[in-house]
Amino acid sequence: MLHIGGDDIAAMEDRYRVFFVNALSGFKAANLVGTRSPDGCDNLAIFNSVVHVGAKPPLLGLISRPNTVTRDTLDNIAATGEYTISHVHSGMVAAAHQTSARYAPGVSEFDAVGLTPRYGERLAAPYVAESRLTIGLKHRQTIDIELNGTHLVIGEVVEVEVDDTAVAGDGWIDLGALDSVATAGLDAYYQARRLERFSYAKPDRAPKPLA
Amino acid sequence: MLHIGGDDIAAMEDRYRVFFVNALSGFKAANLVGTRSPDGCDNLAIFNSVVHVGAKPPLLGLISRPNTVTRDTLDNIAATGEYTISHVHSGMVAAAHQTSARYAPGVSEFDAVGLTPRYGERLAAPYVAESRLTIGLKHRQTIDIELNGTHLVIGEVVEVEVDDTAVAGDGWIDLGALDSVATAGLDAYYQARRLERFSYAKPDRAPKPLA
């Protein structure tokens, strides 16, 4: 086992530290965030920091820093109050990763990487047509994290489109059946194989696989 | 495809909504958070909401609500200022899930579920000896999310222990090689198989697998 102290992390070369620390949190989801600028230009950017905030109301958060290619995303959310999240499946991985390139303003990443925008009825922001689970959100709050200048952007889910064969009778969604991918760090993509689903844990009985 | 509006989500039966919305964000990491109370009782709780906040300084966040079994975790972090995160691998899944049972105060989840505490030199909070990637953290800030009464708890990484065969030459950690698991929703666990790692994306070239 490798033992690494906080002082060792501080002494790492910047790029090495970015790779190392970005993998520490464990597997993350790969999500494409779609927005539309006030003058009608579509934008699409990959995020691996989407997090569940609550179910009632249905809230999702994402962590963002202002000084990156995601700035268009943040600007559009601030200006229009809406955005979309589209899951990435294994057939979309290369195109999804490519949205992280710094395209010139006014270039739609959909065109640049070869993904198809789909427009819904509730939002002007574009969904990714190739995705098997898409979420429309209205912006609710942005919380500044002063420790490092990042932001927690929170939105409320206003619509979901999902392949119905992946939704179980109790509401759970089998992300493996959708072939949604997981990521480690900034640039590695993984396919998931289901191990087990467990029933609600109780102190007086052993862990029980769900029937 | 199933189309579900925000009004449909609001009308869902509570348990159905919890299952459905918890899966929307995509795959999440399964992490065990270890704490020690001021009077020396170890606590261990599974979290699927750990999120990368920044690399310099190395910051991890987790979303928590106060009125659940995770309250011991939050109380201990507030009282001692420290906690640990241990990745869950496929051989630990049942025990890790079982930490979500509501054990009586004073019961160590390590004893109850059959995991082994490991004590480091920098923190009193326990690590999980069976884990292949463990992280020690000092609490830096808790941000209240007033929209729904949850909290974003942010800590700074002060030490990491990781199986060195999984750390690449550029600092990236292959979570698949560690057999770290991913989760969908509250109770489903998945094993990950690596698809591809891509080089830094640039506008003028196609996505390129990393050599």
mmCIF file of all heavy atoms in Angstrom, chain B residues 157-206:
data_model
loop_
_atom_site.group_PDB
_atom_site.id
_atom_site.type_symbol
_atom_site.label_atom_id
_atom_site.label_comp_id
_atom_site.label_asym_id
_atom_site.label_seq_id
_atom_site.Cartn_x
_atom_site.Cartn_y
_atom_site.Cartn_z
ATOM 1 N N VAL B 157 -8.398 16.615 2.428
ATOM 2 C CA VAL B 157 -7.697 15.329 2.502
ATOM 3 C C VAL B 157 -6.357 15.529 3.216
ATOM 4 O O VAL B 157 -5.535 16.347 2.780
ATOM 5 C CB VAL B 157 -7.454 14.767 1.088
ATOM 6 C CG1 VAL B 157 -6.648 13.468 1.156
ATOM 7 C CG2 VAL B 157 -8.779 14.561 0.365
ATOM 8 N N VAL B 158 -6.126 14.775 4.297
ATOM 9 C CA VAL B 158 -4.848 14.879 5.015
ATOM 10 C C VAL B 158 -3.990 13.626 4.856
ATOM 11 O O VAL B 158 -2.794 13.658 5.132
ATOM 12 C CB VAL B 158 -5.043 15.196 6.518
ATOM 13 C CG1 VAL B 158 -5.700 16.558 6.684
ATOM 14 C CG2 VAL B 158 -5.856 14.118 7.226
ATOM 15 N N GLU B 159 -4.609 12.513 4.443
ATOM 16 C CA GLU B 159 -3.795 11.344 4.083
ATOM 17 C C GLU B 159 -4.604 10.387 3.227
ATOM 18 O O GLU B 159 -5.831 10.367 3.277
ATOM 19 C CB GLU B 159 -3.212 10.637 5.303
ATOM 20 C CG GLU B 159 -4.207 10.027 6.253
ATOM 21 C CD GLU B 159 -3.531 9.289 7.423
ATOM 22 O OE1 GLU B 159 -2.331 8.987 7.353
ATOM 23 O OE2 GLU B 159 -4.240 8.999 8.403
ATOM 24 N N VAL B 160 -3.884 9.608 2.421
ATOM 25 C CA VAL B 160 -4.494 8.615 1.534
ATOM 26 C C VAL B 160 -3.660 7.347 1.626
ATOM 27 O O VAL B 160 -2.431 7.408 1.647
ATOM 28 C CB VAL B 160 -4.487 9.106 0.066
ATOM 29 C CG1 VAL B 160 -5.006 8.014 -0.883
ATOM 30 C CG2 VAL B 160 -5.307 10.378 -0.091
ATOM 31 N N GLU B 161 -4.345 6.201 1.704
ATOM 32 C CA GLU B 161 -3.636 4.929 1.565
ATOM 33 C C GLU B 161 -4.294 4.191 0.414
ATOM 34 O O GLU B 161 -5.516 4.059 0.367
ATOM 35 C CB GLU B 161 -3.702 4.116 2.867
ATOM 36 C CG GLU B 161 -2.543 3.147 2.970
ATOM 37 C CD GLU B 161 -2.371 2.540 4.368
ATOM 38 O OE1 GLU B 161 -1.860 3.248 5.254
ATOM 39 O OE2 GLU B 161 -2.752 1.369 4.536
ATOM 40 N N VAL B 162 -3.488 3.761 -0.547
ATOM 41 C CA VAL B 162 -4.041 3.157 -1.760
ATOM 42 C C VAL B 162 -3.116 2.051 -2.259
ATOM 43 O O VAL B 162 -1.887 2.154 -2.144
ATOM 44 C CB VAL B 162 -4.266 4.237 -2.854
ATOM 45 C CG1 VAL B 162 -2.988 5.005 -3.173
ATOM 46 C CG2 VAL B 162 -4.846 3.634 -4.131
ATOM 47 N N ASP B 163 -3.728 0.994 -2.763
ATOM 48 C CA ASP B 163 -2.990 -0.094 -3.389
ATOM 49 C C ASP B 163 -2.161 0.495 -4.542
ATOM 50 O O ASP B 163 -2.706 1.004 -5.517
ATOM 51 C CB ASP B 163 -4.015 -1.117 -3.919
ATOM 52 C CG ASP B 163 -3.360 -2.396 -4.400
ATOM 53 O OD1 ASP B 163 -2.187 -2.345 -4.832
ATOM 54 O OD2 ASP B 163 -4.026 -3.440 -4.362
ATOM 55 N N ASP B 164 -0.831 0.448 -4.430
ATOM 56 C CA ASP B 164 0.016 1.188 -5.375
ATOM 57 C C ASP B 164 -0.059 0.658 -6.810
ATOM 58 O O ASP B 164 0.229 1.392 -7.749
ATOM 59 C CB ASP B 164 1.480 1.271 -4.900
ATOM 60 C CG ASP B 164 1.975 -0.033 -4.297
ATOM 61 O OD1 ASP B 164 1.156 -0.973 -4.194
ATOM 62 O OD2 ASP B 164 3.151 -0.122 -3.952
ATOM 63 N N THR B 165 -0.493 -0.585 -7.000
ATOM 64 C CA THR B 165 -0.584 -1.112 -8.365
ATOM 65 C C THR B 165 -1.675 -0.405 -9.174
ATOM 66 O O THR B 165 -1.698 -0.501 -10.396
ATOM 67 C CB THR B 165 -0.889 -2.625 -8.366
ATOM 68 O OG1 THR B 165 -2.148 -2.839 -7.721
ATOM 69 C CG2 THR B 165 0.189 -3.398 -7.638
ATOM 70 N N ALA B 166 -2.585 0.312 -8.495
ATOM 71 C CA ALA B 166 -3.690 0.980 -9.200
ATOM 72 C C ALA B 166 -3.370 2.417 -9.584
ATOM 73 O O ALA B 166 -4.157 3.061 -10.286
ATOM 74 C CB ALA B 166 -4.950 0.948 -8.338
ATOM 75 N N VAL B 167 -2.225 2.938 -9.135
ATOM 76 C CA VAL B 167 -1.889 4.338 -9.411
ATOM 77 C C VAL B 167 -1.024 4.422 -10.672
ATOM 78 O O VAL B 167 0.066 3.844 -10.734
ATOM 79 C CB VAL B 167 -1.162 4.988 -8.217
ATOM 80 C CG1 VAL B 167 -0.884 6.462 -8.500
ATOM 81 C CG2 VAL B 167 -1.989 4.835 -6.937
ATOM 82 N N ALA B 168 -1.518 5.120 -11.683
ATOM 83 C CA ALA B 168 -0.803 5.249 -12.954
ATOM 84 C C ALA B 168 0.347 6.244 -12.827
ATOM 85 O O ALA B 168 0.430 6.991 -11.849
ATOM 86 C CB ALA B 168 -1.776 5.691 -14.054
ATOM 87 N N GLY B 169 1.220 6.255 -13.822
ATOM 88 C CA GLY B 169 2.388 7.130 -13.806
ATOM 89 C C GLY B 169 2.057 8.607 -13.764
ATOM 90 O O GLY B 169 2.861 9.420 -13.297
ATOM 91 N N ASP B 170 0.852 8.979 -14.217
ATOM 92 C CA ASP B 170 0.477 10.401 -14.225
ATOM 93 C C ASP B 170 -0.392 10.787 -13.027
ATOM 94 O O ASP B 170 -0.929 11.888 -12.987
ATOM 95 C CB ASP B 170 -0.225 10.753 -15.542
ATOM 96 C CG ASP B 170 -1.514 9.968 -15.745
ATOM 97 O OD1 ASP B 170 -1.897 9.164 -14.860
ATOM 98 O OD2 ASP B 170 -2.159 10.149 -16.801
ATOM 99 N N GLY B 171 -0.545 9.859 -12.060
ATOM 100 C CA GLY B 171 -1.300 10.181 -10.856
ATOM 101 C C GLY B 171 -2.718 9.647 -10.843
ATOM 102 O O GLY B 171 -3.342 9.519 -9.788
ATOM 103 N N TRP B 172 -3.255 9.317 -12.024
ATOM 104 C CA TRP B 172 -4.613 8.783 -12.129
ATOM 105 C C TRP B 172 -4.729 7.438 -11.417
ATOM 106 O O TRP B 172 -3.780 6.652 -11.428
ATOM 107 C CB TRP B 172 -4.972 8.635 -13.612
ATOM 108 C CG TRP B 172 -6.297 7.975 -13.846
ATOM 109 C CD1 TRP B 172 -7.535 8.510 -13.633
ATOM 110 C CD2 TRP B 172 -6.528 6.652 -14.342
ATOM 111 N NE1 TRP B 172 -8.504 7.609 -13.973
ATOM 112 C CE2 TRP B 172 -7.914 6.462 -14.407
ATOM 113 C CE3 TRP B 172 -5.682 5.604 -14.737
ATOM 114 C CZ2 TRP B 172 -8.486 5.271 -14.856
ATOM 115 C CZ3 TRP B 172 -6.245 4.419 -15.184
ATOM 116 C CH2 TRP B 172 -7.635 4.257 -15.231
ATOM 117 N N ILE B 173 -5.873 7.197 -10.789
ATOM 118 C CA ILE B 173 -6.098 5.939 -10.073
ATOM 119 C C ILE B 173 -7.139 5.117 -10.817
ATOM 120 O O ILE B 173 -8.243 5.599 -11.087
ATOM 121 C CB ILE B 173 -6.577 6.199 -8.630
ATOM 122 C CG1 ILE B 173 -5.608 7.150 -7.909
ATOM 123 C CG2 ILE B 173 -6.705 4.883 -7.860
ATOM 124 C CD1 ILE B 173 -6.150 7.670 -6.575
ATOM 125 N N ASP B 174 -6.781 3.878 -11.156
ATOM 126 C CA ASP B 174 -7.707 2.976 -11.864
ATOM 127 C C ASP B 174 -8.639 2.319 -10.841
ATOM 128 O O ASP B 174 -8.291 1.333 -10.209
ATOM 129 C CB ASP B 174 -6.915 1.921 -12.637
ATOM 130 C CG ASP B 174 -7.834 1.020 -13.462
ATOM 131 O OD1 ASP B 174 -9.075 1.102 -13.306
ATOM 132 O OD2 ASP B 174 -7.307 0.237 -14.267
ATOM 133 N N LEU B 175 -9.826 2.913 -10.679
ATOM 134 C CA LEU B 175 -10.764 2.408 -9.676
ATOM 135 C C LEU B 175 -11.284 1.017 -10.038
ATOM 136 O O LEU B 175 -11.723 0.273 -9.170
ATOM 137 C CB LEU B 175 -11.936 3.380 -9.510
ATOM 138 C CG LEU B 175 -11.558 4.806 -9.119
ATOM 139 C CD1 LEU B 175 -12.814 5.667 -8.968
ATOM 140 C CD2 LEU B 175 -10.760 4.822 -7.822
ATOM 141 N N GLY B 176 -11.210 0.680 -11.307
ATOM 142 C CA GLY B 176 -11.581 -0.673 -11.721
ATOM 143 C C GLY B 176 -10.577 -1.695 -11.206
ATOM 144 O O GLY B 176 -10.945 -2.780 -10.765
ATOM 145 N N ALA B 177 -9.302 -1.358 -11.248
ATOM 146 C CA ALA B 177 -8.265 -2.252 -10.727
ATOM 147 C C ALA B 177 -8.414 -2.447 -9.221
ATOM 148 O O ALA B 177 -8.070 -3.499 -8.685
ATOM 149 C CB ALA B 177 -6.879 -1.698 -11.060
ATOM 150 N N LEU B 178 -8.935 -1.437 -8.529
ATOM 151 C CA LEU B 178 -9.200 -1.562 -7.084
ATOM 152 C C LEU B 178 -10.490 -2.327 -6.816
ATOM 153 O O LEU B 178 -10.780 -2.649 -5.668
ATOM 154 C CB LEU B 178 -9.328 -0.173 -6.447
ATOM 155 C CG LEU B 178 -8.082 0.713 -6.417
ATOM 156 C CD1 LEU B 178 -8.433 2.084 -5.837
ATOM 157 C CD2 LEU B 178 -6.989 0.055 -5.575
ATOM 158 N N ASP B 179 -11.282 -2.563 -7.866
ATOM 159 C CA ASP B 179 -12.597 -3.193 -7.739
ATOM 160 C C ASP B 179 -13.555 -2.342 -6.895
ATOM 161 O O ASP B 179 -14.484 -2.877 -6.282
ATOM 162 C CB ASP B 179 -12.453 -4.614 -7.167
ATOM 163 C CG ASP B 179 -13.734 -5.439 -7.276
ATOM 164 O OD1 ASP B 179 -14.540 -5.157 -8.185
ATOM 165 O OD2 ASP B 179 -13.932 -6.331 -6.440
ATOM 166 N N SER B 180 -13.326 -1.017 -6.852
ATOM 167 C CA SER B 180 -14.288 -0.128 -6.189
ATOM 168 C C SER B 180 -15.637 -0.276 -6.894
ATOM 169 O O SER B 180 -15.680 -0.421 -8.119
ATOM 170 C CB SER B 180 -13.823 1.332 -6.280
ATOM 171 O OG SER B 180 -12.617 1.527 -5.562
ATOM 172 N N VAL B 181 -16.723 -0.232 -6.146
ATOM 173 C CA VAL B 181 -18.031 -0.431 -6.762
ATOM 174 C C VAL B 181 -18.740 0.893 -6.991
ATOM 175 O O VAL B 181 -18.426 1.911 -6.362
ATOM 176 C CB VAL B 181 -18.931 -1.375 -5.923
ATOM 177 C CG1 VAL B 181 -18.319 -2.762 -5.839
ATOM 178 C CG2 VAL B 181 -19.221 -0.803 -4.550
ATOM 179 N N ALA B 182 -19.703 0.864 -7.900
ATOM 180 C CA ALA B 182 -20.581 2.002 -8.158
ATOM 181 C C ALA B 182 -21.982 1.636 -7.680
ATOM 182 O O ALA B 182 -22.312 0.454 -7.551
ATOM 183 C CB ALA B 182 -20.591 2.341 -9.644
ATOM 184 N N THR B 183 -22.805 2.643 -7.400
ATOM 185 C CA THR B 183 -24.170 2.383 -6.966
ATOM 186 C C THR B 183 -25.155 3.128 -7.870
ATOM 187 O O THR B 183 -24.826 4.149 -8.468
ATOM 188 C CB THR B 183 -24.418 2.853 -5.516
ATOM 189 O OG1 THR B 183 -24.437 4.280 -5.480
ATOM 190 C CG2 THR B 183 -23.341 2.349 -4.578
ATOM 191 N N ALA B 184 -26.359 2.564 -7.946
ATOM 192 C CA ALA B 184 -27.468 3.257 -8.615
ATOM 193 C C ALA B 184 -28.589 3.331 -7.607
ATOM 194 O O ALA B 184 -29.027 2.303 -7.093
ATOM 195 C CB ALA B 184 -27.920 2.504 -9.854
ATOM 196 N N GLY B 185 -29.026 4.534 -7.299
ATOM 197 C CA GLY B 185 -30.062 4.692 -6.290
ATOM 198 C C GLY B 185 -29.511 4.400 -4.910
ATOM 199 O O GLY B 185 -28.354 4.704 -4.604
ATOM 200 N N LEU B 186 -30.321 3.787 -4.073
ATOM 201 C CA LEU B 186 -29.987 3.626 -2.653
ATOM 202 C C LEU B 186 -29.441 2.262 -2.310
ATOM 203 O O LEU B 186 -28.877 2.074 -1.236
ATOM 204 C CB LEU B 186 -31.255 3.830 -1.816
ATOM 205 C CG LEU B 186 -31.859 5.220 -1.880
ATOM 206 C CD1 LEU B 186 -33.261 5.211 -1.287
ATOM 207 C CD2 LEU B 186 -30.967 6.196 -1.141
ATOM 208 N N ASP B 187 -29.606 1.279 -3.176
ATOM 209 C CA ASP B 187 -29.410 -0.099 -2.710
ATOM 210 C C ASP B 187 -28.867 -1.051 -3.764
ATOM 211 O O ASP B 187 -28.805 -2.251 -3.522
ATOM 212 C CB ASP B 187 -30.737 -0.644 -2.182
ATOM 213 C CG ASP B 187 -31.869 -0.450 -3.193
ATOM 214 O OD1 ASP B 187 -31.574 -0.315 -4.404
ATOM 215 O OD2 ASP B 187 -33.032 -0.432 -2.779
ATOM 216 N N ALA B 188 -28.462 -0.549 -4.926
ATOM 217 C CA ALA B 188 -27.977 -1.424 -6.001
ATOM 218 C C ALA B 188 -26.490 -1.160 -6.234
ATOM 219 O O ALA B 188 -26.067 -0.009 -6.330
ATOM 220 C CB ALA B 188 -28.751 -1.165 -7.285
ATOM 221 N N TYR B 189 -25.715 -2.234 -6.344
ATOM 222 C CA TYR B 189 -24.261 -2.144 -6.450
ATOM 223 C C TYR B 189 -23.795 -2.768 -7.758
ATOM 224 O O TYR B 189 -24.323 -3.810 -8.177
ATOM 225 C CB TYR B 189 -23.608 -2.831 -5.247
ATOM 226 C CG TYR B 189 -24.012 -2.155 -3.954
ATOM 227 C CD1 TYR B 189 -25.203 -2.498 -3.297
ATOM 228 C CD2 TYR B 189 -23.246 -1.128 -3.420
ATOM 229 C CE1 TYR B 189 -25.598 -1.849 -2.137
ATOM 230 C CE2 TYR B 189 -23.632 -0.479 -2.253
ATOM 231 C CZ TYR B 189 -24.804 -0.843 -1.624
ATOM 232 O OH TYR B 189 -25.191 -0.190 -0.487
ATOM 233 N N TYR B 190 -22.797 -2.140 -8.365
ATOM 234 C CA TYR B 190 -22.314 -2.545 -9.687
ATOM 235 C C TYR B 190 -20.798 -2.636 -9.680
ATOM 236 O O TYR B 190 -20.108 -1.842 -9.020
ATOM 237 C CB TYR B 190 -22.711 -1.515 -10.744
ATOM 238 C CG TYR B 190 -24.185 -1.403 -11.002
ATOM 239 C CD1 TYR B 190 -25.016 -0.733 -10.116
ATOM 240 C CD2 TYR B 190 -24.756 -1.972 -12.136
ATOM 241 C CE1 TYR B 190 -26.374 -0.624 -10.351
ATOM 242 C CE2 TYR B 190 -26.117 -1.863 -12.383
ATOM 243 C CZ TYR B 190 -26.922 -1.185 -11.477
ATOM 244 O OH TYR B 190 -28.269 -1.086 -11.728
ATOM 245 N N GLN B 191 -20.296 -3.578 -10.480
ATOM 246 C CA GLN B 191 -18.862 -3.699 -10.703
ATOM 247 C C GLN B 191 -18.552 -2.998 -12.030
ATOM 248 O O GLN B 191 -19.365 -3.035 -12.951
ATOM 249 C CB GLN B 191 -18.506 -5.185 -10.799
ATOM 250 C CG GLN B 191 -17.057 -5.503 -10.582
ATOM 251 C CD GLN B 191 -16.860 -6.984 -10.259
ATOM 252 O OE1 GLN B 191 -17.575 -7.839 -10.786
ATOM 253 N NE2 GLN B 191 -15.891 -7.286 -9.416
ATOM 254 N N ALA B 192 -17.367 -2.388 -12.125
ATOM 255 C CA ALA B 192 -17.054 -1.569 -13.298
ATOM 256 C C ALA B 192 -15.970 -2.211 -14.153
ATOM 257 O O ALA B 192 -15.002 -2.761 -13.647
ATOM 258 C CB ALA B 192 -16.605 -0.185 -12.857
ATOM 259 N N ARG B 193 -16.169 -2.138 -15.460
ATOM 260 C CA ARG B 193 -15.201 -2.654 -16.431
ATOM 261 C C ARG B 193 -14.757 -1.485 -17.298
ATOM 262 O O ARG B 193 -15.573 -0.780 -17.882
ATOM 263 C CB ARG B 193 -15.888 -3.708 -17.306
ATOM 264 C CG ARG B 193 -14.964 -4.461 -18.249
ATOM 265 C CD ARG B 193 -15.746 -5.496 -19.053
ATOM 266 N NE ARG B 193 -16.678 -4.864 -19.993
ATOM 267 C CZ ARG B 193 -16.335 -4.373 -21.184
ATOM 268 N NH1 ARG B 193 -15.088 -4.447 -21.601
ATOM 269 N NH2 ARG B 193 -17.241 -3.814 -21.978
ATOM 270 N N ARG B 194 -13.445 -1.299 -17.373
ATOM 271 C CA ARG B 194 -12.931 -0.125 -18.072
ATOM 272 C C ARG B 194 -13.176 -0.193 -19.568
ATOM 273 O O ARG B 194 -12.899 -1.199 -20.216
ATOM 274 C CB ARG B 194 -11.430 -0.030 -17.810
ATOM 275 C CG ARG B 194 -10.793 1.209 -18.356
ATOM 276 C CD ARG B 194 -9.451 1.406 -17.702
ATOM 277 N NE ARG B 194 -8.498 2.080 -18.536
ATOM 278 C CZ ARG B 194 -7.184 2.062 -18.321
ATOM 279 N NH1 ARG B 194 -6.692 1.367 -17.310
ATOM 280 N NH2 ARG B 194 -6.377 2.713 -19.107
ATOM 281 N N LEU B 195 -13.708 0.894 -20.104
ATOM 282 C CA LEU B 195 -13.922 1.001 -21.545
ATOM 283 C C LEU B 195 -12.728 1.697 -22.198
ATOM 284 O O LEU B 195 -12.095 1.151 -23.092
ATOM 285 C CB LEU B 195 -15.189 1.825 -21.831
ATOM 286 C CG LEU B 195 -16.520 1.179 -21.477
ATOM 287 C CD1 LEU B 195 -17.641 2.207 -21.531
ATOM 288 C CD2 LEU B 195 -16.817 0.026 -22.434
ATOM 289 N N GLU B 196 -12.434 2.917 -21.745
ATOM 290 C CA GLU B 196 -11.417 3.717 -22.435
ATOM 291 C C GLU B 196 -10.990 4.875 -21.546
ATOM 292 O O GLU B 196 -11.766 5.356 -20.724
ATOM 293 C CB GLU B 196 -12.027 4.289 -23.734
ATOM 294 C CG GLU B 196 -11.028 4.780 -24.738
ATOM 295 C CD GLU B 196 -10.168 3.652 -25.321
ATOM 296 O OE1 GLU B 196 -10.636 3.005 -26.280
ATOM 297 O OE2 GLU B 196 -9.062 3.438 -24.813
ATOM 298 N N ARG B 197 -9.733 5.260 -21.726
ATOM 299 C CA ARG B 197 -9.264 6.505 -21.130
ATOM 300 C C ARG B 197 -8.829 7.396 -22.280
ATOM 301 O O ARG B 197 -8.099 6.946 -23.163
ATOM 302 C CB ARG B 197 -8.099 6.205 -20.172
ATOM 303 C CG ARG B 197 -7.771 7.361 -19.272
ATOM 304 C CD ARG B 197 -6.686 7.090 -18.246
ATOM 305 N NE ARG B 197 -6.372 8.376 -17.637
ATOM 306 C CZ ARG B 197 -5.208 8.735 -17.123
ATOM 307 N NH1 ARG B 197 -4.213 7.870 -17.090
ATOM 308 N NH2 ARG B 197 -5.036 9.941 -16.620
ATOM 309 N N PHE B 198 -9.282 8.656 -22.278
ATOM 310 C CA PHE B 198 -9.020 9.557 -23.408
ATOM 311 C C PHE B 198 -7.999 10.626 -23.033
ATOM 312 O O PHE B 198 -7.918 11.050 -21.873
ATOM 313 C CB PHE B 198 -10.305 10.254 -23.857
ATOM 314 C CG PHE B 198 -11.285 9.337 -24.524
ATOM 315 C CD1 PHE B 198 -12.388 8.851 -23.837
ATOM 316 C CD2 PHE B 198 -11.091 8.933 -25.840
ATOM 317 C CE1 PHE B 198 -13.291 7.996 -24.449
ATOM 318 C CE2 PHE B 198 -11.984 8.074 -26.454
ATOM 319 C CZ PHE B 198 -13.084 7.595 -25.760
ATOM 320 N N SER B 199 -7.269 11.084 -24.032
ATOM 321 C CA SER B 199 -6.357 12.202 -23.814
ATOM 322 C C SER B 199 -7.167 13.508 -23.734
ATOM 323 O O SER B 199 -8.350 13.549 -24.066
ATOM 324 C CB SER B 199 -5.330 12.274 -24.937
ATOM 325 O OG SER B 199 -5.983 12.536 -26.152
ATOM 326 N N TYR B 200 -6.512 14.558 -23.263
ATOM 327 C CA TYR B 200 -7.120 15.875 -23.122
ATOM 328 C C TYR B 200 -7.748 16.287 -24.458
ATOM 329 O O TYR B 200 -7.089 16.236 -25.500
ATOM 330 C CB TYR B 200 -6.014 16.859 -22.708
ATOM 331 C CG TYR B 200 -6.501 18.205 -22.270
ATOM 332 C CD1 TYR B 200 -6.983 18.404 -20.977
ATOM 333 C CD2 TYR B 200 -6.459 19.289 -23.138
ATOM 334 C CE1 TYR B 200 -7.424 19.654 -20.576
ATOM 335 C CE2 TYR B 200 -6.894 20.537 -22.735
ATOM 336 C CZ TYR B 200 -7.379 20.706 -21.455
ATOM 337 O OH TYR B 200 -7.810 21.948 -21.055
ATOM 338 N N ALA B 201 -9.007 16.679 -24.429
ATOM 339 C CA ALA B 201 -9.731 16.966 -25.673
ATOM 340 C C ALA B 201 -9.331 18.318 -26.260
ATOM 341 O O ALA B 201 -9.226 19.307 -25.529
ATOM 342 C CB ALA B 201 -11.234 16.938 -25.406
ATOM 343 N N LYS B 202 -9.106 18.359 -27.559
ATOM 344 C CA LYS B 202 -8.797 19.613 -28.255
ATOM 345 C C LYS B 202 -9.725 19.763 -29.447
ATOM 346 O O LYS B 202 -10.086 18.771 -30.087
ATOM 347 C CB LYS B 202 -7.336 19.609 -28.719
ATOM 348 C CG LYS B 202 -6.377 19.540 -27.536
ATOM 349 C CD LYS B 202 -4.963 19.921 -27.928
ATOM 350 C CE LYS B 202 -4.132 20.084 -26.661
ATOM 351 N NZ LYS B 202 -2.729 20.415 -26.937
ATOM 352 N N PRO B 203 -10.115 21.019 -29.750
ATOM 353 C CA PRO B 203 -11.124 21.249 -30.794
ATOM 354 C C PRO B 203 -10.720 20.729 -32.171
ATOM 355 O O PRO B 203 -11.563 20.328 -32.956
ATOM 356 C CB PRO B 203 -11.275 22.777 -30.840
ATOM 357 C CG PRO B 203 -10.703 23.275 -29.573
ATOM 358 C CD PRO B 203 -9.674 22.274 -29.131
ATOM 359 N N ASP B 204 -9.414 20.751 -32.464
ATOM 360 C CA ASP B 204 -8.976 20.469 -33.831
ATOM 361 C C ASP B 204 -8.591 19.010 -34.082
ATOM 362 O O ASP B 204 -7.995 18.693 -35.101
ATOM 363 C CB ASP B 204 -7.806 21.389 -34.190
ATOM 364 C CG ASP B 204 -6.666 21.258 -33.177
ATOM 365 O OD1 ASP B 204 -6.840 20.509 -32.178
ATOM 366 O OD2 ASP B 204 -5.623 21.889 -33.374
ATOM 367 N N ARG B 205 -8.923 18.112 -33.157
ATOM 368 C CA ARG B 205 -8.634 16.707 -33.429
ATOM 369 C C ARG B 205 -9.702 15.805 -32.818
ATOM 370 O O ARG B 205 -10.406 16.186 -31.875
ATOM 371 C CB ARG B 205 -7.232 16.323 -32.921
ATOM 372 C CG ARG B 205 -7.134 16.319 -31.425
ATOM 373 C CD ARG B 205 -5.875 15.596 -30.928
ATOM 374 N NE ARG B 205 -5.930 15.479 -29.491
ATOM 375 C CZ ARG B 205 -4.915 15.690 -28.676
ATOM 376 N NH1 ARG B 205 -3.734 16.020 -29.147
ATOM 377 N NH2 ARG B 205 -5.061 15.534 -27.362
ATOM 378 N N ALA B 206 -9.817 14.601 -33.348
ATOM 379 C CA ALA B 206 -10.814 13.639 -32.871
ATOM 380 C C ALA B 206 -10.411 13.093 -31.495
ATOM 381 O O ALA B 206 -9.227 13.150 -31.136
ATOM 382 C CB ALA B 206 -10.936 12.500 -33.884
#
